[in-house]
C-alpha cells in the first residue's frame, strides 16, 4: 500500500477523532457531541475530495453511507458509528474497510467535462458500467436495498409526514423519487477567502459583517465586508443597482459572491461581483462538494433533507429497468439508465457545471435519447397502423393540376402544382392518404384544396371541407361555388347558422349524394351527417382541430363506402421540421414554399407605444388612399386581474379611435363575445369596404382574406407569440398594394420582448419565425401539440436536440421494421412501457 497523501490523511483524521470520542465506551459521550452526523458527513466529503485516486474516492463514498440517519435509534447509531470508525481506521492503515466493498482498480468513468459527442463517451458495454456514484450508493450499507415500487416510507428517515410532503410532488414510490431529477445545479466549490489570489476570478461564501452606503464623486456607492472565518473580503458597487438591492443583503446574511479578485490597500476586494443570498450556512453542508443538485421545492422540506432522502433512495438505482435494447445502447454509445440517473443526482467530481446546465452530459444525452426514442416509437407505430391498404382509390379523370387550369383565373404556382401531384398520387392509391399540407398564409392552400375536391367529385365521390369558424366556412363556400359550380359540381354549405329547414335539406342532399362537395364548420362531422360516398376529408387550419376530428372523418368515410377515406390537413402554421417529425410524425408532409406572384412584400415596423399617434397617422393615410386596416388587440375587455388594467380593450379602443385619431373614418368592432350573426355582419361590411378600419381581437387571425386591407396594427405586440404575429401579418399583403404591419409595444432597451419582436422586422420567413418561437417558448404551447395526444417531453428540447431526435427516429423505424409488434424479448420493456403509459392516447390518436 502506498502512503496516503497528507491532505487525505488529515481529512480522515478529522473524521476519526470526533468518532473516537463519541464511540468510546459504547457511546458514552454520544450526546455531548452536537451535530455529530452533520460534521462527519462534511468531513467525509472533504476526505473524498482529497482522496486523489478514484478507488480511494469510492471507498470514502462507501463510508459516507455508514453515517447514521437522523432518526436512527440510539442503538443503531452507536453500531453504525462503530462500523464507520473501523472503516476509517482501516483506511488510515491502508486496509480495506470491513463491510465496504472495495472498488476495482481502474474504474470511475470520470464525467468528462462537457463530453457530449459520441467520440468522447467511453466505449464499453454500457449496462455494466457504473459511475463511482452509483457504485458507492449501491454498496456499503446494512439495510436491504429497497424495491423500486416500494413506498418511500421504507426509506430510513422517511415517516408518514415526510412521505406526505413528497406526495405533493407526485412522489410515492422509490422509483418516483429516483426519477425526481434536479432542476439545476449549483457549483458550491467556493474556496476560502484566505486563499484568494489577486487577479483571478473566484467564488467564495461568507457572512455579511458590514454594509455601508457612501457618496463617491456625487454618486452613491455601496460597500460590504464578508467574512467566512478564514478572512475578510470587501465588495464594492460604484453604481448601486437600486435601493432594493442594498436592502436585500442585510448584515449577518450569508452570501455567495463571484468576481475578479483585486487588492486595495492590502485588502482583497471584488468590484461589482455577482452576489446571491444563501439560505443560511445550514444549507451549505456540501461547501466542499462538487456540484450541488437543486430540486424543485418539496412542500416544507429543507433542500438538505430532500437531498439526504434522495441519496438513500439512490441505493436502489441499479434496479432500474433498461427499456432500450442493448444493441441500441451499444450503437449509440449510451450509458446505462442507472448510471445516467445516479450521476445526474450526484454529479461525480470534475463534472462541468456548464455541461450540466446545458444538459449536454452523456447522462442527459442518454435520458433525452430515451424520451425521444419512445416518442418516435409511438408516432411511427401510429403511422404503420395507418398503412392499411384499405383505402378507397379515386379514379381521377385527369391530373389535378391540369384540372385546376380551368378552375381559377390564375395559373398555379410551381409549388401548388407539385403539391397537387403528390396529392393526386395518394388519391389514386389503396393506401389512405394522411397528408399535412403546410403553406404560409396566402400561399394558396385553398386553391389546392378546391382542386383536390373537384377531382374527387368528378370521379363520382364526395369531398368535405371543414373550416374552424363560420366566417371561414363561408369564405371557402364562396370560393367553392366560384370555382366548382362552373364544372357542374354541386356544393352544399353546412354550418351551425343554417335554419332548421335549410339544414334538413342540406343533410338530405349529402345523404343522397346530390351534394358532391360539402363545405362547413364542425357541423360537417356531427353524428347526424350521413354521407353517400365520402372519399376525401379536408381539414383547414389544423391547429383548431385535434386528432378526434380527423378520426371522425375516417368514421364517416367508412360508414358510407366501407373504405378508409383520404385525409388532407392544411395548416398555415409553419411547423419546424423537428416538431413536424414528432407531433405530425404520422402524416406525410407537403409544403407550399412559394407565394403567388405579384405580392408586394409587407414592411414591418416596431413602434414604441409612446408613438401611437404616428401609427394611427399611417392608418389615416392608408384610408385616405382607399385602403383598409386592421387593429388587433390581445384582450376583449379590461380584465380585473392585477396589472392588466393597462391593456386597452377592443371596445374602448374602437371608441377612442373613432372619436380621436381616426375621426371621420368608419371603424368597426369584432370580438369573440359578439353573437355569430353580429360578427358576420361586421366582417362582411369590412370585406365590402363599408367598414374601413376593423378593430378586433385575434378572432381575425385565421384565414380571413380581404385583399384591400393593407395595414395591420398590433397593439401590445409583446403579448403575442411570434408565430401568431406572423399569422396576423399574413392578413395584409394579399393584393397588389403595398402593405405594412405596425407592431406597437412598450419599449425598455434591455427588454427581451423588444429584441424578440425585432425578429418580425427582419424576416417574413414563417419557418424562421417558427424556429425562433419554438426556441423561445418551447413546444408546450405550440399550436397543435396539446391535441396531438403525445406525451410531454421532460428533458428533451426539440430545437436543441434535433440531432438526437433524428437518430431516435431512425432507430425507432428500424426497430419497428424488425419487430413491428415489439414481441422480441429485447423489446419487452418497450412494449410494456407503451402499454402502460400511452395506449389510451394511442387509441385516440392512431386514426387519421
Ligand atoms: P391560404 O389559404 O394558403 O392562406 P389562399 O388560398 O386563401 O391562401 O390564397 C390567398 C389569395 O391568393 C387568394 O386570394 C387566392 O385567390 C390567391 N391565389 C392563390 N393561388 C394563386 C396563384 N397561383 N396565383 C395568384 N393568386 C393566387
Ligand atoms: Mg386559408
Amino acid at each position: 500500500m502506498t502512503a496516503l497523501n497528507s491532505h487525505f490523511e488529515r481529512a480522515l483524521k478529522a473524521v476519526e477523532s470526533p468518532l473516537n470520542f463519541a464511540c468510546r465506551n459504547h457511546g458514552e459521550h454520544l450526546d455531548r457531541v452536537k451535530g455529530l452526523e452533520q460534521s462527519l458527513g462534511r468531513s467525509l466529503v472533504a476526505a473524498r475530495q482529497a482522496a486523489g485516486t478514484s478507488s480511494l474516492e469510492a471507498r470514502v463514498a462507501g463510508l459516507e453511507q455508514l453515517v447514521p440517519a437522523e432518526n436512527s435509534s440510539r442503538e443503531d447509531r452507536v453500531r453504525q458509528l462503530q462500523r464507520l470508525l473501523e472503516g476509517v481506521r482501516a483506511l488510515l492503515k491502508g486496509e480495506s474497510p470491513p463491510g465496504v466493498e472495495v472498488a476495482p482498480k481502474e474504474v470511475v468513468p470520470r464525467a468528462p467535462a462537457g463530453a457530449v459527442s459520441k467520440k468522447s463517451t467511453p466505449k464499453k458495454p454500457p449496462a455494466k458500467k457504473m459511475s463511482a456514484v452509483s457504485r458507492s450508493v449501491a454498496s456499503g450499507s446494512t439495510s436491504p436495498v429497497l424495491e423500486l415500487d416500494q413506498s418511500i416510507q421504507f426509506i430510513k428517515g422517511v415517516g408518514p409526514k415526510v412521505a406526505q410532503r413528497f406526495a405533493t410532488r407526485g412522489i410515492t414510490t422509490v422509483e418516483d423519487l429516483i426519477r425526481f431529477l434536479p432542476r439545476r445545479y449549483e457549483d458550491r466549490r467556493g474556496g476560502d477567502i484566505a486563499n484568494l489570489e489577486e487577479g483571478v476570478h473566484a467564488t467564495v461564501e461568507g457572512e455579511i459583517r458590514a454594509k455601508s452606503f457612501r457618496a463617491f464623486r456625487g454618486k452613491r456607492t455601496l460597500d460590504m465586508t464578508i467574512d467566512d472565518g478564514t478572512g475578510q473580503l470587501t465588495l464594492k458597487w460604484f453604481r448601486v443597482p437600486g435601493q432594493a438591492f442594498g436592502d436585500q443583503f442585510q448584515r449577518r446574511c450569508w452570501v455567495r459572491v463571484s468576481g475578479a479578485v483585486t487588492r486595495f490597500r492590502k485588502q482583497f476586494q471584488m468590484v461589482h461581483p455577482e452576489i446571491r443570498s444563501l439560505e443560511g450556512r445550514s444549507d451549505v453542508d456540501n461547501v466542499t462538494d462538487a456540484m450541488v443538485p437543486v430540486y424543485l421545492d418539496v412542500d416544507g422540506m429543507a433542500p438538505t433533507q430532500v437531498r439526504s432522502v434522495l441519496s438513500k433512495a439512490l441505493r436502489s438505482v441499479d434496479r432500474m429497468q433498461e427499456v432500450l435494447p442493448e444493441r441500441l445502447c451499444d450503437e449509440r454509445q449510451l450509458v446505462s439508465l442507472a448510471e445516467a440517473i445516479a450521476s445526474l443526482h450526484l454529479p461525480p467530481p470534475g463534472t462541468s457545471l456548464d455541461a450540466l446546465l446545458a444538459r449536454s452530459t452523456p447522462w442527459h444525452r442518454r435520458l433525452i435519447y430515451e424520451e425521444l426514442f419512445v416518442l418516435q416509437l409511438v408516432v411511427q407505430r401510429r403511422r404503420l397502423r395507418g398503412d392499411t391498404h384499405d383505402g378507397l382509390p379515386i379514379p381521377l379523370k385527369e391530373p389535378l393540376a391540369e384540372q385546376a387550369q380551368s378552375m381559377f383565373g390564375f395559373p398555379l404556382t410551381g409549388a401548388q402544382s407539385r403539391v397537387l401531384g403528390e396529392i393526386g398520387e395518394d388519391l389514386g392509391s389503396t393506401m389512405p392518404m394522411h397528408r399535412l399540407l403546410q403553406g404560409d398564409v396566402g400561399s394558396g392552400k385553398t386553391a389546392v384544396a378546391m382542386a383536390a375536391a373537384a377531382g374527387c367529385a368528378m370521379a363520382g365521390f364526395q369531398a368535405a371541407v371543414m373550416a374552424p369558424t363560420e366566417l371561414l366556412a363561408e369564405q371557402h363556400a364562396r370560393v367553392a361555388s366560384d370555382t366548382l359550380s362552373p364544372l357542374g359540381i354541386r356544393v352544399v354549405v353546412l354550418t351551425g347558422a343554417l335554419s332548421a329547414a335549410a339544414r334538413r335539406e342540406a343533410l338530405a342532399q349529402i345523404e343522397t349524394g346530390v351534394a358532391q362537395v360539402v363545405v362547413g364548420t364542425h357541423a360537417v362531422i356531427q353524428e347526424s351527417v350521413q354521407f353517400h360516398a365520402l372519399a376525401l376529408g379536408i381539414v383547414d387550419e389544423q391547429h383548431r382541430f385535434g386528432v378526434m376530428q380527423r378520426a371522425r372523418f375516417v368514421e364517416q368515410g367508412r360508414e358510407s363506402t366501407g373504405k378508409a377515406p383520404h385525409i388532407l390537413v392544411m395548416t398555415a402554421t409553419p411547423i419546424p421540421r423537428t416538431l413536424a417529425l414528432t407531433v405530425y410524425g404520422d402524416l406525410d408532409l407537403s409544403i407550399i414554399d412559394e407565394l403567388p406572384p405579384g405580392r408586394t412584400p409587407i414592411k414591418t415596423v416596431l413602434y414604441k407605444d409612446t408613438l401611437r399617434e404616428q401609427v394611427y397617422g399611417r392608418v389615416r393615410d392608408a384610408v385616405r388612399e382607399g385602403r383598409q386596416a386592421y387593429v388587433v388587440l390581445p384582450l376583449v375587455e379590461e380584465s380585473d386581474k392585477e396589472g392588466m388594467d393597462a391593456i386597452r380593450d377592443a371596445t374602448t379602443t374602437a371608441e377612442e379611435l373613432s372619436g380621436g385619431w381616426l375621426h371621420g373614418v368608419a371603424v368597426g368592432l369584432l370580438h369573440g363575445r359578439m353573437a355569430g350573426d353580429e360578427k358576420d355582419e361586421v366582417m362582411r361590411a369590412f370585406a365590402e369596404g363599408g367598414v374601413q378600419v376593423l378593430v378586433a381581437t385575434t378572432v381575425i387571425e385565421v384565414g380571413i382574406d380581404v385583399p384591400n386591407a393593407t395595414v395591420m396594427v398590433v397593439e401590445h405586440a409583446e403579448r403575442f407569440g411570434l408565430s401568431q404575429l406572423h399569422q396576423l401579418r399574413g392578413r395584409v399583403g394579399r393584393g397588389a398594394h403595398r402593405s405594412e404591419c405596425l407592431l406597437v409595444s412598450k419599449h425598455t432597451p434591455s427588454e427581451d420582448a423588444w429584441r424578440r419582436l425585432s425578429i418580425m422586422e427582419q424576416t417574413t420567413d414563417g419557418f424562421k419565425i417558427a424556429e425562433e418561437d419554438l426556441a423561445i417558448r418551447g413546444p408546450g404551447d405550440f399550436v397543435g401539440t396539446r391535441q396531438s395526444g403525445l406525451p410531454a417531453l421532460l428533458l428533451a428540447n426539440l430545437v436543441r436536440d434535433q440531432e438526437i431526435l433524428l437518430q431516435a427516429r431512425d432507430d425507432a423505424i428500424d426497430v419497428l421494421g424488425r419487430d413491428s409488434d415489439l414481441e422480441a424479448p429485447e423489446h419487452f420493456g418497450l412494449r410494456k412501457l407503451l402499454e402502460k403509459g400511452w395506449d389510451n392516447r394511442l387509441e385516440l390518436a392512431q386514426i387519421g
Side-chain angles (χ1 to χ4, degrees), residues 68 71 130 136 143 168 269 276 320 351 360 380 416 541 549 593 601 604 626 635 642 662 676 685 692 721 739 764:
N71 57 351
M130 229 203 265
S136 68
S143 49
T168 62
Q269 69 172 27
R276 211 170 57 67
M320 302 279 292
T351 306
S360 65
Q380 297 305 329
Q416 284 171 318
E541 306 297 351
Q549 281 79 5
D593 50 5
T604 301
L635 280 184
E642 208 180 60
L662 298 184
Q692 294 166 296
S739 293
T764 51

Side-chain angles (χ1 to χ4, degrees), residues 52 56 68 163 165 168 328 332 358 400 478 560 571 600 668 713 817 823:
L56 284 177
R165 293 189 159 149
T168 62
L328 269 185
R332 297 296 182 189
L400 294 176
R478 269 197 301 278
S560 62
T571 179
T600 40
V713 178
E823 279 167 339

